[in-house]
Amino acid sequence: MSELKIVNYPDPILLSVGKPVNDADFGVHFEKTIETMFSVMEKAGGVGLAAPQVGISKRFFVMDIPVETEKGRDRERHVLINPEILRVEGEQIGEEGCLSFPGLFQTIKRDMRVIVKARNQHGGEIEMDLDGLAARCVLHETDHCDGIVFLDRMTPLKRELAKRKIKRLQTTGKWE
Ligand SMILES: [Zn+2]
């Protein structure tokens, strides 16, 4: 699987619940897939990419989020496998995009803080306490594992507008 391509809405794989990753899935091949997903995501300019978005109906995603450190702005790479949202808190409203919806951005309400449990690419258990953009990213990507797309998180009016825009892009050949 050297080549992975981003699939666009309304590909049915984006609307299907992913299968859990099990012990037999870990290994060299899996790590290669993850590496490829990071490069596909970087090339596309995204901060998160879930397996169903590259045609793999499984519950994992990669993310590369900007974080503030003592040395300034840095990026942090994470792989979250079989993510499980343990707790959420607060609320944030902000613009969101999705690599499976090229050119479409919309204001989405999300939880401000999230505690998530998952496994990393080596199979170890991790727990993360995130807020802001990182929390938004985890919630968006965990949704992908559940067959939920950000369209489903929009208000009915915004969803209608978004669907119309997609149709327009499809008829002009700007959406595959
Ligand atoms: Zn997405």
Side-chain angles (χ1 to χ4, degrees):
M1 202 183 286
S2 60
E3 233 173 270
L4 292 174
K5 275 174 71 183
I6 294 175
V7 297
N8 284 352
Y9 177 85
D11 193 296
I13 201 160
L14 294 171
L15 310 172
S16 322
V17 178
K19 287 198 192 78
V21 173
N22 55 46
D23 289 339
D25 290 321
F26 289 92
V28 180
H29 176 76
F30 188 55
E31 289 191 18
K32 267 193 190 140
T33 301
I34 286 165
E35 265 320 298
T36 310
M37 281 173 67
F38 271 116
S39 51
V40 167
M41 179 181 75
E42 269 152 31
K43 225 184 265 171
V47 293
L49 182 68
Q53 292 184 275
V54 288
I56 303 168
S57 194
K58 292 213 168 148
R59 308 182 67 80
F60 68 97
F61 64 84
V62 299
M63 68 176 190
D64 190 351
I65 43 164
V67 287
E68 296 291 341
T69 68
E70 288 168 358
K71 292 173 194 156
R73 231 164 149 68
D74 202 359
R75 295 184 79 95
E76 229 178 68
R77 275 180 161 207
H78 294 287
V79 182
L80 275 81
I81 296 155
N82 299 337
E84 226 182 292
I85 307 290
L86 299 181
R87 254 184 70 191
V88 293
E89 207 178 85
E91 195 180 288
Q92 59 173 320
I93 292 167
E95 194 166 78
E96 211 168 286
C98 177
L99 294 179
S100 296
F101 291 78
L104 191 75
F105 295 90
Q106 193 54 267
T107 308
I108 311 261
K109 189 162 88 178
R110 296 277 188 188
D111 306 303
M112 184 54 163
R113 181 180 168 206
V114 53
I115 298 176
V116 60
K117 188 178 109 175
R119 295 177 80 179
N120 63 22
Q121 68 267 47
H122 311 296
E125 285 221 357
I126 50 168
E127 202 176 294
M128 298 168 84
D129 184 342
L130 304 162
D131 64 5
L133 177 65
R136 176 177 293 280
C137 185
V138 162
L139 291 164
H140 179 116
E141 303 308 331
T142 301
D143 271 354
H144 275 306
C145 297
D146 289 323
I148 296 166
V149 291
F150 82 147
L151 210 56
D152 303 318
R153 298 292 186 195
M154 293 176 193
T155 60
L157 177 67
K158 280 177 180 157
R159 187 181 312 131
E160 231 13 80
L161 291 172
K163 280 186 171 168
R164 252 184 257 169
K165 187 178 178 191
I166 292 167
K167 236 177 228 151
R168 220 165 38 235
L169 292 169
Q170 280 171 331
T171 52
T172 53
K174 286 174 187 149
W175 189 292
E176 280 166 30

